[in-house]
Amino acid sequence: MTVTEDRTGPELDLEAGFDRTIGADQRVEPRDWMPEAYRKTLIRQIAQHAHSEIIGMQPEGNWILRAPSLRRKAILLAKVQDEAGHGMYLYAAAETLGVDREELTEKLISSKQKYSSIFNYPTLSYADIGVIGWLVDGAAICNQVPLCRCSYGPYARAMVRICKEESFHQRQGFELLLAMVNGTDAQKAMVQESVDRWWWPSLMMFGPPDDDSPNSAQSMAWGIKRHTNDELRQRFVDMSVPQAAALGVTLPDPELVWNEDRKSHDYGEPDWAEFKAVIAGSGPANAQRVAHRRRAHENGAWVREAAQAYADKQAARAREQEVPA
């Protein structure tokens, strides 16, 4: 870490302590001193992660009423509920860094903070529900399991439970696709068409290539990230290929081939121009996702106001019942 000349002796001591904690691969806790850049990086990443969980409820929630059976409705309801819980865990982790949940929500609905690019694509068929579980949640697991060892304690602890539930979501998605590919020809074709649409956006979930990722090096130095974008993307590709073979679907990449020298798969380059356009707000469903979240936030204002009034009333009652020492 670079030390500037205008820092005082006590601050240099605090920074040295922080560096020792990171160097020893130990956890930084909310009351510990941390560089302002470290705090801001965590806020940006955790907020984006929390927003992704909340926005991610929309594409799947779109199919709850159209799921083909009561069992499938119950599974999808439980999954969407899990995603809401994940968002709450992550907003709570962000609040330990001194930001307010309301402030983060306002930044999301005013498009001042981002969420995962994958949720700006529409769910056009019921097979998308299975493919999201298999590919999108599978990519999320590759991304998020290393975060269980993040250097910031509250974030790492939140990720332990989130990853367990995401693993269940991925298995649920694969199970749904397995049922569909063993169904009618139309169902098999529906699965393949969905895989064709979601494969490349799933690869983009890991972020831009390493040579175009300005934040990765510092995040890895601080122990926030444990692997580069391209390392995680490669892991996801190698994991997905045998799973696709088990399902009997074809991944839409003519350059996808096993490389014996690297003991990994070579694969084609995602369309990074599309990725940047989606991140900039020009994806197929960007405006719809943010507008829906803004509308839900505005419609829920009375609930928040009622909860705050009740909390204030309870606090006042507790003060009245206090016995002077």
Side-chain angles (χ1 to χ4, degrees):
M1 181 179 298
T2 302
V3 178
T4 58
E5 295 179 358
D6 59 350
R7 292 182 179 173
T8 63
E11 185 176 357
L12 292 177
D13 290 341
L14 290 169
E15 187 166 24
F18 173 83
D19 288 344
R20 285 194 296 272
T21 298
I22 297 298
D25 203 18
Q26 295 177 342
R27 295 274 172 82
V28 177
E29 298 296 340
R31 293 185 179 182
D32 295 339
W33 184 91
M34 64 187 74
E36 184 63 13
Y38 176 82
R39 188 183 77 87
K40 288 182 177 179
T41 296
L42 281 167
I43 291 172
R44 176 185 57 80
Q45 179 168 329
I46 298 173
Q48 178 175 319
H49 193 167
H51 297 333
S52 299
E53 298 286 355
I54 298 302
I55 294 292
M57 298 164 64
Q58 293 184 37
E60 292 177 298
N62 181 44
W63 282 88
I64 289 174
L65 296 180
R66 295 183 284 170
S69 69
L70 183 59
R71 175 175 177 266
R72 293 297 179 187
K73 289 181 193 294
I75 291 172
L76 195 50
L77 275 167
K79 182 181 180 184
V80 171
Q81 179 177 280
D82 284 348
E83 306 298 354
H86 298 173
M88 296 303 101
Y89 303 153
L90 292 164
Y91 283 132
E95 286 179 319
T96 66
L97 292 159
V99 293
D100 182 77
R101 189 175 311 194
E102 183 73 16
E103 175 190 351
L104 296 179
T105 299
E106 289 294 336
K107 288 183 177 180
L108 169 63
I109 63 179
S110 61
S111 299
K112 293 179 180 177
Q113 284 185 336
K114 306 295 186 183
Y115 54 89
S116 178
S117 61
I118 194 71
F119 299 118
N120 288 313
Y121 292 87
T123 44
L124 304 179
S125 74
Y126 185 65
D128 288 6
I129 300 303
V131 172
I132 287 174
W134 171 40
L135 292 180
V136 176
D137 292 333
I141 290 167
C142 286
N143 255 327
Q144 295 172 11
V145 167
L147 292 175
C148 295
R149 297 186 292 117
C150 171
S151 61
Y152 188 60
Y155 191 21
R157 288 188 288 273
M159 291 313 305
V160 172
R161 178 167 181 174
I162 289 173
C163 286
K164 289 179 180 178
E165 293 179 350
E166 291 291 357
S167 294
F168 172 77
H169 297 168
Q170 201 229 9
R171 290 195 296 273
Q172 171 269 324
F174 191 85
E175 183 269 339
L176 171 57
L177 294 180
L178 197 60
M180 293 186 72
V181 297
N182 285 289
T184 66
D185 289 343
Q187 288 174 320
K188 296 176 188 177
M190 186 187 298
V191 171
Q192 182 62 63
E193 188 274 338
S194 181
V195 171
D196 290 346
R197 282 186 289 108
W198 287 95
W199 173 249
W200 293 109
S202 296
L203 289 188
M204 297 176 197
M205 284 180 67
F206 297 94
D210 290 346
D211 57 8
D212 193 27
S213 181
N215 299 314
S216 288
Q218 184 61 78
S219 290
M220 291 184 68
W222 278 330
I224 298 172
K225 289 183 67 169
R226 297 289 177 167
H227 304 281
T228 71
N229 296 350
D230 287 337
E231 288 171 350
L232 293 170
R233 196 171 1 255
Q234 182 69 67
R235 184 178 299 180
F236 172 70
V237 171
D238 290 340
M239 176 184 77
S240 300
V241 170
Q243 294 173 351
L247 289 171
V249 298
T250 301
L251 297 176
D253 181 359
E255 298 179 43
L256 184 63
V257 64
W258 177 255
N259 185 318
E260 184 61 29
D261 293 336
R262 295 195 307 113
K263 303 297 182 182
S264 286
H265 292 85
D266 293 335
Y267 58 93
E269 193 76 8
D271 185 346
W272 294 117
E274 176 184 322
F275 172 76
K276 291 177 180 179
V278 173
I279 290 295
S282 299
N286 288 63
Q288 175 187 342
R289 299 287 184 244
V290 174
H292 184 95
R293 181 68 189 97
R294 184 186 303 112
R295 186 166 58 251
H297 184 67
E298 292 169 352
N299 291 343
W302 70 272
V303 178
R304 297 189 298 276
E305 292 167 2
Q308 186 61 57
Y310 178 78
D312 293 343
K313 183 177 180 180
Q314 292 297 102
R317 183 175 298 173
R319 288 193 297 271
E320 290 172 0
Q321 294 175 349
E322 288 179 356
V323 179

